[in-house]
Amino acid sequence: MNLIMFGPPGAGKGTQATRLVSERGYVQLSTGDMLRAARSSGTPLGEKVAGIMDRGDLVSDEIVIALIEEQLEVHDKAPGFIFDGFPRTVAQAEALDGLLRGRGEAVDLVVNLRVDDEDELIRRVQKRAAEQGRADDTEEVLRNRLANYNALTAELLTYYESQGIVRHVRGLDSIEAVAAQTAEILDEEKGKRKQPAS
Ligand code: AMP
């Protein structure tokens, strides 16, 4: 099963994805983590994207699609993927569909960590900044990341809703409560997939 953890920056996509890796053995593919790794190892790619990330803008579709393509090849036997922070544009979503189609697979589920209160998100991210020291977790940069999410990424929900694969959870509930809602959805979806076609 391939699933996308979807939601605005700060909604807890990475936290929930990491839990699913340890609980269910999926492979987590986070383009944000890949880009941060490229930066900390000082690769040409890392240097190229540093300024873009620090402003809270989106790195080009071409770059992130290539990163995902590479990782799909590395993990060719994975039981399933959790995409976290990818796709962020319709072009990325279309590319992901094509890459998975090439493996005889598809995006099976989109778990939307729904957040209605942006001020609460900003408070959360400021807490994360204090704990992890991420350069792009300042209020100003976060507001730009949220603006990019609203302008470019949120419309992906419509893209996936038209495929009937979006499930919503309350993103501002506690980590445990979001994990419990997500687990329930995954179990339901797995149950549906096991039922023989009638
Ligand atoms: P994240 O950790 O997912 O919030 O990503 C951190 C930053 O990396 C974002 O603000 C973007 O600059 C860049 N980034 C991560 N994933 C993507 C993506 N799928 N498309 C474009 N830029 C991305």
Side-chain angles (χ1 to χ4, degrees), residues 31-32 35-36 53 57 59 64 85-86 88 92 134 145:
T31 40
L35 293 166
R36 278 186 287 278
M53 290 175 77
D57 284 332
V59 169
V64 289
F86 180 93
R88 266 177 154 98
Q92 292 177 24
R134 263 181 61 166
R145 290 163 66 207

Side-chain angles (χ1 to χ4, degrees), residues 105-191:
E105 297 176 22
V107 175
D108 300 298
L109 179 66
V110 177
V111 175
N112 178 33
L113 303 182
R114 202 176 59 212
V115 172
D116 302 321
D117 180 351
E118 289 199 350
D119 290 337
E120 175 58 25
L121 259 190
I122 290 173
R123 278 193 290 277
R124 267 200 184 193
V125 173
Q126 281 171 331
K127 192 163 163 258
R128 179 168 77 184
E131 288 162 5
Q132 300 176 3
R134 263 181 61 166
D136 60 350
D137 272 350
T138 64
E139 178 167 351
E140 190 191 347
V141 176
L142 179 67
R143 289 205 185 273
N144 189 37
R145 290 163 66 207
L146 274 171
N148 281 321
Y149 172 81
N150 290 325
L152 300 164
T153 307
E155 66 179 300
L156 281 183
L157 271 187
T158 317
Y159 178 87
Y160 289 118
E161 260 158 3
S162 71
Q163 300 174 24
I165 56 171
V166 179
R167 302 285 304 266
H168 302 274
V169 304
R170 291 182 302 276
L172 290 181
D173 281 3
S174 69
I175 291 175
E176 289 306 322
V178 174
Q181 291 170 66
T182 306
E184 202 174 306
I185 291 171
L186 283 178
D187 290 340
E188 267 175 46
E189 293 294 325
K190 273 173 83 176

